[in-house]
Amino acid sequence: MPQKKSRILAIETSCDETAAAVASYSDGSFAVLGSVVASQIKMHMATNGVVPEVAARAHLQKIKPVVRAALKKSGVSLQDIDMIAVTYGPGLSPSLLVGTEFAKGLALALRKPLLPVNHMLGHLYSALAAQPNLALPSMNLIVSGGHTYLVFLNGKNGTPGTYQVIGGTVDDAAGEAFDKVAKMLGLAYPGGPSVSKAALDGVHDYDFPRPMLHEKNHDFSFSGLKTAVLYKIANERLDIRKSQVRADIALSFENAVVDVLVQKTIRAAKEYGARSITLSGGVAANKKLRAVLGRAAKAIGLTLVVPDFALCTDNAIMIANAARIMLRQGSKPKDPVTVAIRPDLDL
Ligand code: KG4
Ligand code: ZN
């Protein structure tokens, strides 16, 4: 007998994208029926970064039309939704509040179950949305604007079990470092894409330090690298108004970050006996990181799974996907009234 499919509506507003998705799932399957992401990037370009209250106001304006558009695309009516999932942390408080309170209201009014989802779990499991038969256990590098994690995920092919956070950043996240170096160079927000675009024209590598590369742990540090960039510019009086100078610094910085991320991920994969490697989070959109990690994984006989660009940067498909995995593993929906945002939520 075919298994009954459940339909889930997922909402994501943790930072600067208002996102909603409708997906259907049964025990082992997951299908996206409709997904909409309203990006605030243009708005935050004016301030060269996200102002939390400005982001929240935009979420307030967009949340209803975005949810409505995702439902329309999916062809599923609100009444036919079986479950609502929402990102409740980590993220910016004013932004998280908009999505979480909206989802709570919807769940209460429609008498639907509500499942709060950890945004980072969304990133972690996004590789499983891209590759349902992911070879497990896997070593997973999650690199976003606010977090950097190395996570070992147990399980059998396509069916994740428990996970273990084996490393993280001791200071700045990888994406944060990209954003800060972009600001130093006067490049546009968001910094990651600007730095990697500038790096394409780089010819000289300043050979910046590779922080924590040789330490016998799985942690990262990017704050010192950022300071090394600052000192290089000041001490050598580099003229960052010149595009070639900007390109060379961008290239050198990107090479240093990619080098550390790749070498530490490969070392961890070998040490834990992983059967695959995954890369997720906004920085996973970085083409050099994807290419270098892909080659390094292949060299040790593992495949690298990286979700499409649209699944790497913030979206609600990954929240729906994480929700169905959590449900399968025994998580229970919560009474909407008891759900509260957790801006500092850890993995
Ligand atoms: O996962 P995400 O969309 O939001 C958070 O959960 O933080 O990640 C956003 C981060 C930003 O720091 C952005 O600069 C970075 O991802 N990013 C990139 C690239 N595209 C986005 N970093 C490096 N290279 C890129 N191409
Ligand atoms: Zn994210």
Side-chain angles (χ1 to χ4, degrees):
M1 213 175 66
Q3 278 168 332
K4 185 192 172 302
K5 286 202 190 309
S6 301
R7 283 131 167 195
I8 194 158
L9 167 66
I11 294 172
E12 153 67 44
T13 65
S14 66
C15 186
D16 57 351
E17 330 270 5
T18 318
V22 178
S24 74
Y25 66 96
S26 64
D27 220 16
S29 76
F30 176 72
V32 180
L33 304 177
S35 169
V36 174
V37 179
S39 172
Q40 305 174 3
I41 281 183
K42 284 206 178 109
M43 177 184 304
H44 300 307
M45 272 177 164
T47 43
N48 211 13
V50 180
V51 178
E53 285 70 22
V54 174
R57 205 170 310 136
H59 283 310
L60 262 179
Q61 281 169 354
K62 289 282 181 190
I63 186 90
K64 242 170 115 183
V66 163
V67 169
R68 207 174 270 154
L71 283 162
K72 193 166 175 208
K73 271 193 180 177
S74 72
V76 179
S77 73
L78 208 43
Q79 284 67 31
D80 290 334
I81 291 291
D82 298 294
M83 149 102 46
I84 298 170
V86 67
T87 301
Y88 75 119
L92 304 170
S93 302
S95 292
L96 285 167
L97 265 177
V98 176
T100 305
E101 293 305 314
F102 185 86
K104 283 163 70 175
L106 214 51
L108 280 170
L110 297 168
R111 295 179 192 277
K112 305 281 182 192
L114 179 67
L115 189 68
V117 175
N118 183 327
H119 179 84
M120 301 312 292
L121 215 49
H123 281 306
L124 171 66
Y125 291 143
S126 61
L128 280 153
Q131 176 64 265
N133 294 320
L134 181 72
L136 294 171
S138 60
M139 186 53 69
N140 311 274
L141 174 65
I142 314 176
V143 271
S144 76
H147 299 81
T148 307
Y149 286 121
L150 258 179
V151 182
F152 181 63
L153 180 61
N154 282 297
K156 286 226 170 71
N157 288 0
T159 309
T162 54
Y163 66 84
Q164 191 187 345
V165 176
I166 64 159
T169 180
V170 298
D171 41 54
D172 292 356
E176 193 178 351
F178 268 97
D179 294 335
K180 286 179 178 168
V181 167
K183 271 191 188 171
M184 267 180 225
L185 297 178
L187 297 171
Y189 165 89
S194 302
V195 169
S196 50
K197 186 161 172 260
L200 292 176
D201 295 322
V203 288
H204 174 71
D205 191 328
Y206 288 106
D207 200 18
F208 286 128
R210 269 57 171 161
M212 297 185 82
L213 182 58
H214 299 295
E215 286 185 27
K216 290 201 185 325
N217 57 36
H218 302 294
D219 289 329
F220 302 97
S221 161
F222 294 108
S223 174
L225 176 57
K226 177 193 66 190
T227 313
V229 174
L230 194 66
Y231 284 168
K232 177 65 90 182
I233 295 170
N235 294 347
E236 298 190 14
R237 300 183 182 210
L238 299 177
D239 185 357
I240 56 160
R241 288 169 304 181
K242 292 186 178 144
S243 67
Q244 190 57 53
V245 173
R246 291 197 301 271
D248 288 345
I249 293 173
L251 170 83
S252 315
F253 167 77
E254 188 177 57
N255 281 347
V257 174
V258 168
D259 203 13
V260 177
L261 289 174
V262 170
Q263 288 205 43
K264 294 205 89 162
T265 304
I266 295 292
R267 198 191 302 156
K270 284 204 262 188
E271 187 181 315
Y272 280 75
R275 296 186 55 226
S276 67
I277 295 177
T278 80
L279 173 64
S280 61
V283 184
N286 186 281
K287 286 193 183 132
K288 186 175 278 174
L289 177 59
R290 292 163 93 103
V292 177
L293 187 55
R295 282 198 296 272
K298 201 169 165 199
I300 58 164
L302 301 181
T303 41
L304 170 70
V305 176
V306 196
D308 287 345
F309 286 99
L311 253 181
C312 284
T313 46
D314 289 349
N315 64 88
I317 296 172
M318 69 178 193
I319 303 304
N321 178 59
R324 62 106 192 179
I325 291 171
M326 290 166 64
L327 292 167
R328 201 172 169 196
Q329 292 176 335
S331 286
K332 297 274 179 272
K334 300 274 181 294
D335 175 354
V337 177
T338 65
V339 173
I341 60 162
R342 295 273 308 277
D344 297 322
L345 189 63
D346 275 329
L347 241 191

